Amino acid sequence: MTTDNQLDPTIDDLDPETSVVVTLGSPLGGRIRTWNDDVAQTWIVEDVEHLERLWATGAIGTASLQQAGHHRDVGVLDTANHILCVTTTTPISKFGGLIEGHEHFALKPAPSTKLTKNARKQRWEAFEDFLVTATSHAFDRGETLVIGGPDPDGPSVTIGQMYRSSRRIWAISAAPAPFAELWPVPRPDERDRVTTLAKFNPMLALHTAMRTTDALRSWGVDPYDATITYVQPIEMITGRLSAHSLLDDPVEA
């Protein structure tokens, strides 16, 4: 069994009898939330800096959701020995090729404590940093991001890119329309979904992340419950971002 001093577990430490596949939240403030059959557990991660370096880069293995083309980060959790194993992929070079491996993290159950206002603000800021990273890597892969709570059918923000008359467009869409500081007051026909388009600029990544967390807060999502779903390209064309004929909308400067 893993002890408090065993900070570098290996695959040999995993007990297949007590190991389950879990969906992962983001590592925030040294902690991470996992879900197995909708049962949530919050953990203290011993080597959280290493996990943070991997997070939101596309290096961690994912599993499909029920929606076609939707994927979330997953790991294998040994519930008895408190070890989290994630599959990783590392590019060999810019010319292609991947190295597959595994990383293991010792965990401790986190006590149930209410976050202070300042701590909650810090967790959201850390999540925004991950979103900036996730957006950059997802766009490089031609993917769209959907950010929401654990329920894939719950309120969410979609971040994607598209092309209009050979111009690259940045799109952010929220459903339902959030009544939040960084979002415009929706028109009556926008209350199910509101969308903003802008000329593509990498500098929009941080502002988009801030608008995303602003929407999540307005929906009552806890920072540890915030999840990132990666969506394959076909979903960007036929799914969430095309819900209101976006190509007919004006593009902001």
Side-chain angles (χ1 to χ4, degrees):
M1 177 173 291
T2 302
T3 67
D4 290 350
N5 295 324
Q6 186 179 343
L7 303 184
D8 189 22
T10 69
I11 196 168
D12 294 330
D13 297 311
L14 287 176
D15 184 347
E17 296 295 326
T18 58
S19 295
V20 294
V21 176
V22 291
T23 305
L24 305 174
S26 294
L28 306 171
R31 303 184 181 196
I32 192 170
R33 186 161 291 167
T34 64
W35 292 270
N36 173 41
D37 293 333
D38 298 327
V39 176
Q41 172 72 56
T42 307
W43 305 90
I44 297 171
V45 185
E46 297 290 358
D47 187 12
V48 71
E49 292 83 5
H50 182 45
L51 183 58
E52 289 172 344
R53 287 192 294 270
L54 295 170
W55 202 255
T57 64
I60 293 177
T62 62
S64 299
L65 302 180
Q66 290 185 348
Q67 299 98 320
H70 290 61
H71 302 263
R72 283 185 181 170
D73 294 310
V74 297
V76 174
L77 174 66
D78 185 333
T79 57
N81 295 313
H82 299 166
I83 300 171
L84 175 67
C85 172
V86 296
T87 301
T88 59
T89 54
T90 305
I92 296 175
S93 74
K94 64 180 180 181
F95 302 107
L98 295 171
I99 298 175
E100 293 189 356
H102 297 87
E103 299 289 345
H104 301 81
F105 301 91
L107 308 175
K108 292 192 297 186
S112 179
T113 56
K114 185 176 180 180
L115 290 175
T116 66
K117 182 178 180 180
N118 186 57
R120 185 172 294 274
K121 178 175 180 292
Q122 291 174 346
R123 302 299 185 272
W124 280 125
E125 289 173 346
F127 186 72
E128 289 167 1
D129 289 340
F130 285 131
L131 273 186
V132 170
T133 301
T135 300
S136 174
H137 286 273
F139 282 7
D140 286 345
R141 298 189 299 268
E143 294 177 344
T144 299
L145 298 179
V146 178
I147 300 93
D151 181 0
D153 296 321
S156 63
V157 174
T158 303
I159 303 170
Q161 58 182 335
M162 60 181 65
Y163 289 87
R164 177 186 182 190
S165 302
S166 300
R167 286 188 300 168
R168 194 178 181 189
I169 305 300
W170 189 293
I172 178 172
S173 175
F179 289 85
E181 180 181 355
L182 299 180
W183 290 82
V185 177
R187 300 189 301 266
D189 62 340
E190 291 181 324
R191 292 186 178 177
D192 289 339
R193 177 178 296 278
V194 62
T195 301
T196 301
L197 304 180
K199 295 177 181 178
F200 190 89
N201 184 337
M203 299 300 292
L204 288 172
L206 179 57
H207 181 63
T208 299
M210 294 171 63
R211 292 187 68 191
T212 299
T213 58
D214 193 36
L216 295 177
R217 288 194 299 268
S218 77
W219 295 324
V221 177
D222 185 85
Y224 288 110
D225 282 336
T227 60
I228 301 174
T229 302
Y230 303 92
V231 187
Q232 294 174 342
I234 189 64
E235 296 297 314
M236 179 173 60
I237 299 171
T238 62
R240 297 169 181 256
L241 287 180
S242 59
H244 287 298
S245 300
L246 302 186
L247 297 185
D248 296 329
D249 291 346
V251 177
E252 296 182 355

